[in-house]
Amino acid sequence: MSPRSASVNEELRRRSRERLLQAAVELVGERGYEATTLGDIADRAGSARGLVSYYFPGKRQLVQSAVHRLMHRTLEEAVEREPRTEDGRERMARAIDAILALARDRPVLMRQHMAGLLQAEGFVQCPEQQRLAEVLRDVVVRNGAQDVDVEYPLLRSLLMGAVYAMVLPNVPMPITTLRAELFERYRLDWEMGVPPDAEAASGATCETDLSRFFATGEEPGSRSGQRRA
């Protein structure tokens, strides 16, 4: 048997890393952070346990990278969904709705993510976090920001605050209240994006198959209408 080429080996390594990211999101969402071990994640991913430490320094880095991947792909899919639009206000509405929906539908996962960001290390500098920042920054640019370097971190902070308010144990704030505040801040019409009442009327539910967000070499923006099952 001839040895595998470098490109084949690279693809196999990439797929292994993707499976670990997906497994981390699934397990932390199901069990919580403390109840999830690196061994559990490796087993769910069908990977050797040694591969986890090969790709990630530890559990916190793995989980934060995994959540950033889910956020990046969810956000990108939302702003690029059909009917596609270049309207900056509509894209802003879609971005806000995408992030708020993650907090509503995956409170355990997002609560852990927020807690991790409050640790001394803050953001884990990883490709997933950088891609998330690029998509969100592009939303700000297309919305006509006068000073992107001011408006981008402000939007990021407002969204983080809204997520925190939604996942706070015992006293979470409703998505409609937070959405109304954000939409007023950015002068968006309630009918833009994906209003919560429209989602409820359509019977949309939180999807459990996250595989497309972790598919190697494919971006959600290339597929239409898949934000929710």
Side-chain angles (χ1 to χ4, degrees), residues 8-79:
V8 171
N9 285 330
E10 177 62 26
E11 178 64 18
L12 291 173
R13 286 193 291 269
R14 188 159 50 240
R15 290 182 181 181
S16 294
R17 186 176 185 277
E18 303 286 286
R19 288 196 298 268
L20 289 169
L21 290 170
Q22 181 177 344
V25 162
E26 292 174 348
L27 286 170
V28 173
E30 293 167 10
R31 307 176 184 178
Y33 182 79
E34 297 299 333
T36 300
T37 68
L38 290 176
D40 294 333
I41 294 171
D43 291 344
R44 173 69 67 90
S47 300
R49 299 191 180 192
L51 277 179
V52 181
S53 56
Y54 175 80
Y55 292 116
F56 302 98
K59 185 170 74 169
R60 179 175 173 272
Q61 290 82 357
L62 167 55
V63 171
Q64 196 173 124
S65 292
V67 178
H68 278 141
R69 164 62 70 85
L70 178 62
M71 293 176 70
H72 154 235
R73 288 282 182 97
T74 298
L75 181 61
E76 186 171 61
E77 183 178 275
V79 297

Side-chain angles (χ1 to χ4, degrees), residues 71 99-100 102-104 107 110-118 156-174 178 182:
M71 293 176 70
I99 299 302
L100 295 185
L102 277 176
R104 179 195 62 200
M110 297 306 291
R111 185 179 303 127
Q112 171 52 47
H113 181 60
M114 296 304 297
L117 295 181
L118 293 174
R156 183 184 63 195
S157 297
L158 290 170
L159 290 173
M160 289 173 64
V163 169
Y164 179 84
M166 289 181 67
V167 302
L168 195 63
N170 303 322
V171 287
M173 289 191 68
L178 293 164
L182 287 166

Side-chain angles (χ1 to χ4, degrees), residues 9 28 32 39 42 47 53 60 72 93 105-106 108 125 143 148 165 169 187 202 214-215:
N9 285 330
V28 173
S47 300
S53 56
R60 179 175 173 272
H72 154 235
D105 297 340
R106 306 186 190 281
V108 174
Q125 297 300 315
N143 195 46
V148 177
R187 301 179 181 178
S202 69
F214 299 91

Side-chain angles (χ1 to χ4, degrees), residues 168-185:
L168 195 63
N170 303 322
V171 287
M173 289 191 68
I175 188 172
T176 51
T177 301
L178 293 164
R179 185 181 194 265
E181 287 294 318
L182 287 166
F183 271 44
E184 181 178 0
R185 166 67 175 78

